[in-house]
Amino acid sequence: MNRILKAMSIILLILFFSLYFSKYNNDYYENKRVLTDEAMQQFEKDVKSGKKIDAKNYLPKEKDYNNKASELGVKSSELIEKLFTKGLGAMMSYLNSLQNE
């Protein structure tokens, strides 16, 4: 009984800390939506001058990180997924045939 209580408390502690620290990872995505000071000044100037407002003009441009290495990684992971799926399917059908005999 003491072991179970100790294991449960450790699991709850790990769960608590993982949820507690995961809230700090969300700041990255929230900061992407915040306008810079220069963009806010440009926005205010455009509003005063009566220009058409489009949010894309004021948000920072996202970088494109696609390159040969990332494409190779995606293709290799897709290949591994296909092979694993086919292999697992073949193994299950083999086990199913053994069970039906």
Side-chain angles (χ1 to χ4, degrees), residues 4 22 27 32-33 48-49 51 54 63 69 79-80:
I4 295 172
S22 70
D27 291 343
K32 286 182 74 173
R33 290 184 273 153
K48 286 180 184 176
S49 65
K51 290 184 180 178
D54 188 14
K63 293 181 181 179
L79 177 66
I80 291 170

Side-chain angles (χ1 to χ4, degrees), residues 32-101:
K32 286 182 74 173
R33 290 184 273 153
V34 176
L35 293 176
T36 62
D37 291 334
E38 296 168 0
M40 288 191 324
Q41 290 173 356
Q42 182 66 35
F43 174 77
E44 291 171 359
K45 189 183 347 175
D46 289 347
V47 168
K48 286 180 184 176
S49 65
K51 290 184 180 178
K52 184 178 177 184
I53 305 298
D54 188 14
K56 294 177 190 172
N57 297 336
Y58 307 103
L59 295 175
K61 297 195 179 1
E62 293 185 17
K63 293 181 181 179
D64 184 19
Y65 293 105
N66 290 335
N67 56 28
K68 300 276 186 199
S70 65
E71 291 174 6
L72 179 66
V74 169
K75 288 180 183 180
S76 63
S77 66
E78 288 173 352
L79 177 66
I80 291 170
E81 179 186 3
K82 285 179 185 178
L83 292 174
F84 187 76
T85 304
K86 287 182 181 181
L88 192 59
M91 185 175 74
M92 288 305 200
S93 63
Y94 174 72
L95 291 174
N96 193 21
S97 68
L98 288 178
Q99 183 183 10
N100 290 336
E101 288 181 358

